[in-house]
Amino acid sequence: MPDAIPSPSASSDSLYDLVVIGAGPGGYVAAIRAAQLGLKVACIDKEGRFGGTCLRVGCIPSKALLDATEKLFLAKNHFAEMGILVDNPRPDLKTLMARKDKIVETLTSGVSLLMKKNKIDKIVGMAKFVSPTEIEVSADGKTQKLTAKNFLIATGSAPVELPFLKFDGKRVIHSDHAIALPEIPQRMVVIGGGAIGLEMGSVWSRMGTKVTVLEMLPQLVAGGDSEMANGLEKVLKKQGLTIYTAAKFTGAKEEKGALTVSFDWEGKKQTETADVILVSVGRRPYTEGLNLEAAGVKLDERKRVAVGGHYQTNVPHIFAIGDVIVGPMLAHKAEDEGVAVAELLAGKAGHVNYNVIPAVVYTAPELAWVGKTEEQLQAEGIAYNVGKFNFRVNGRALAMGETEGFVKVLAHQKTDRVLGVHILGAQASSMIPEAASVMEFAGSAEDIARTCHAHPTLPEAVREAAMAALKRAIHA
Ligand code: NAI
């Protein structure tokens, strides 16, 4: 533990132990944990609705739309084969969006209640450092000053804009707009085949939009296991999305009221017409307006707030977590870092295990994984066993009509320690925590294989894949 972390001392009325800037899953969770541990805390956000990108315009609203439109897709395409007849299922966009907004409202007001319950001062306004120990918060033309022993920067990230394709919020949009389109576009081109592109592409495709995804890398879901990503690509194509991988987007121009998108693919120049272009090529750390120079806080080469092992910036009492620092831009990673910082500040041993951070793409089927991909293991020269199991031979998956996908378990060839688990399948997000728990406790494929799994369930496929890694799957 770095010796410079100040120890919590008796709070004075005017001085906070911790001021958290940013009330997303990183910031608000840090504030709650710090308050639980007896620190005097304020949490500031420029938005009155606490919860950050995740709750307001990211994870939660996108899932509300994904879950609703998945039901629409099933009603249109699969209910009849299950013996359920419904006439003309179709989206009612107004109700769909209103339901999503209500879910966001419920959760963001829940965060405000949690601030109150934990006696955290909720402050709405734009925070700006005026010195290393003082910030100014401005809202509605009024400014207040706050001093604190420690500050936590948890200001998150913003969508990356392509230099030659500026966002206008109507024709050229980012994820904030994609969750709130006023009408169903006829044609959408999605630039970037990562989580946002595939999730929002799925939402609008299910509502009837002709969706084309352009991904510059040879596979979707950069950083994911390529076999799994290719499996997902096949399913999404079957669902009606057009997908070009290894495609080089070269520009877009407006012609006769529509947008013509140009790209190079397989050595040929191609075009695609769109009413809307969703740019989902990644996010960048958001530090605008913080005036970090006044605090003397340094950024790294990728404009992230530079931190050491304990989230400390170069200014010892200023910390940073979440999307604004190095690492995957995931809400659960930020949350865990928030808890760790609060615990370190309270003199405890906060820690995040970066080897066991699950990732999920919430398409249907979902793609979820934790640990290493096969490509990573090969690059690192680690010998491993592979066990796979297909959902089409899992009893529950058949009963549910959810037979797409498979599970892949990667275990160390000598020790059998689980190194990675990859699941493409319905409810993969709910199955990956089993793998994460086993990996957190340095468990083996044998441990999963010997754990009794309820029957009939989808997680039996995880057990069978673990058994397959030991060359003794029962049902394959
Ligand atoms: P991403 O980094 O996941 O994917 C962006 C994709 O765009 C990459 O595959 C990249 O190769 C591609 N790309 C970049 N420039 C391109 C270009 N000029 N032409 C074509 N393709 C290009 O970023 P995304 O999807 O925008 O998401 C942003 C962040 O938010 C990510 O860190 C992601 O993990 C996170 N997020 C996570 C979700 C989840 O956990 N389910 C959901 C939504 C976002």
Side-chain angles (χ1 to χ4, degrees):
M1 180 141 108
D3 33 67
I5 289 184
S7 58
S9 51
S11 310
S12 77
D13 282 348
S14 56
L15 186 67
Y16 288 104
D17 293 315
L18 177 65
V19 165
V20 180
I21 308 171
Y28 87 74
V29 166
I32 292 173
R33 187 71 188 118
Q36 281 175 350
L37 292 167
L39 273 64
K40 183 174 160 62
V41 184
C43 187
I44 307 167
D45 200 292
K46 61 184 170 49
E47 307 287 337
R49 281 174 162 181
F50 272 29
T53 296
C54 175
L55 267 66
R56 288 185 303 103
V57 287
C59 325
I60 297 301
S62 63
K63 260 79 267 168
L65 296 180
L66 277 158
D67 286 329
T69 55
E70 190 181 341
K71 291 184 172 72
L72 172 67
F73 184 85
L74 292 175
K76 272 193 201 167
N77 301 291
H78 295 290
F79 272 16
E81 75 205 28
M82 291 177 136
I84 301 166
L85 301 178
V86 284
D87 290 331
N88 193 18
R90 61 203 183 280
D92 164 7
L93 193 61
K94 227 173 128 192
T95 308
L96 230 123
M97 290 293 174
R99 173 183 172 272
K100 172 210 69 175
D101 293 341
K102 199 161 165 235
I103 294 164
V104 170
E105 183 54 39
T106 305
L107 285 172
T108 50
S109 16
V111 175
S112 293
L113 281 176
L114 288 172
M115 295 292 107
K116 212 176 194 174
K117 186 181 154 202
N118 287 283
K119 303 192 173 41
I120 297 161
D121 288 342
K122 174 185 167 180
I123 299 172
V124 179
M126 197 66 197
K128 172 184 162 194
F129 280 97
V130 286
S131 78
T133 51
E134 196 175 30
I135 55 168
E136 250 176 32
V137 184
S138 319
D140 302 329
K142 289 189 203 120
T143 299
Q144 59 173 310
K145 287 196 171 171
L146 296 176
T147 48
K149 290 180 196 154
N150 300 289
F151 292 93
L152 175 60
I153 302 167
T155 44
S157 59
V160 167
E161 187 169 57
L162 291 171
F164 47 94
L165 193 63
K166 298 279 174 205
F167 293 123
D168 66 10
K170 291 193 167 64
R171 311 296 295 263
V172 182
I173 62 170
H174 56 66
S175 51
D176 290 14
H177 312 118
I179 56 154
L181 293 181
E183 53 194 54
I184 301 169
Q186 274 182 20
R187 299 156 298 187
M188 175 185 282
V189 168
V190 175
I191 301 175
I196 292 181
L198 300 180
E199 291 179 9
M200 293 320 299
S202 292
V203 162
W204 291 105
S205 163
R206 292 165 189 169
M207 287 203 264
T209 304
K210 178 185 176 296
V211 173
T212 304
V213 179
L214 306 182
E215 166 56 52
M216 72 177 183
L217 295 178
Q219 70 165 67
L220 297 176
V221 192
D225 186 280
S226 69
E227 185 185 20
M228 308 306 293
N230 294 340
L232 176 60
E233 182 181 340
K234 269 191 209 139
V235 189
L236 293 177
K237 281 179 170 167
K238 263 202 264 174
Q239 291 173 5
L241 279 83
T242 304
I243 297 173
Y244 295 95
T245 51
K248 185 169 185 285
F249 168 65
T250 51
K253 58 176 185 237
E254 192 146 5
E255 280 175 335
K256 294 181 196 147
L259 295 155
T260 304
V261 178
S262 311
F263 58 102
D264 297 339
W265 187 69
E266 294 195 336
K268 285 187 224 112
K269 296 208 173 306
Q270 315 264 349
T271 56
E272 195 71 44
T273 314
D275 304 299
V276 176
I277 302 176
L278 167 61
V279 180
S280 49
V281 296
R283 296 178 64 88
R284 59 175 176 82
Y286 181 77
T287 52
E288 272 108 294
L290 271 177
N291 199 22
L292 290 178
E293 304 77 32
V297 171
K298 291 203 176 110
L299 302 183
D300 68 12
E301 72 295 346
R302 290 173 65 182
K303 300 217 163 91
R304 300 172 294 209
V305 177
V307 289
H310 290 90
Y311 312 105
Q312 227 169 353
T313 66
N314 58 305
V315 182
H317 64 280
I318 303 181
F319 298 78
I321 55 163
D323 286 10
V324 86
I325 68 164
V326 65
M329 291 184 169
L330 297 170
H332 44 280
K333 175 251 190 194
E335 271 182 55
D336 287 12
E337 290 175 343
V339 169
V341 164
E343 293 184 345
L344 287 165
L345 283 172
K348 296 183 179 296
H351 171 72
V352 178
N353 179 0
Y354 288 96
N355 295 321
V356 187
I357 305 237
V360 182
V361 182
Y362 294 86
T363 41
E366 293 175 344
L367 174 58
W369 74 93
V370 60
K372 306 267 186 192
T373 62
E374 285 205 59
E375 290 79 13
Q376 284 169 328
L377 291 174
Q378 285 157 14
E380 290 169 24
I382 298 171
Y384 59 94
N385 291 328
V386 188
K388 294 182 202 168
F389 193 79
N390 239 298
F391 283 109
R392 69 169 181 268
V393 284
N394 170 277
R396 188 63 193 280
L398 273 162
M400 291 164 67
E402 298 278 8
T403 52
E404 296 280 11
F406 60 103
V407 180
K408 175 157 86 173
V409 170
L410 307 173
H412 196 282
Q413 207 171 69
K414 283 215 175 87
T415 64
D416 191 38
R417 182 173 176 166
V418 177
L419 302 172
V421 174
H422 303 261
I423 308 174
L424 176 65
Q427 300 173 20
S429 58
S430 300
M431 287 184 269
I432 210 68
E434 174 186 9
S437 291
V438 169
M439 289 177 67
E440 192 66 48
F441 292 104
S444 61
E446 177 94 28
D447 289 326
I448 300 178
R450 292 209 177 269
T451 303
C452 186
H453 284 62
H455 175 75
T457 58
L458 299 176
E460 285 177 289
V462 178
R463 183 191 201 183
E464 289 275 5
M467 286 172 162
L470 302 162
K471 300 204 172 18
R472 55 179 170 83
I474 301 288
H475 295 94

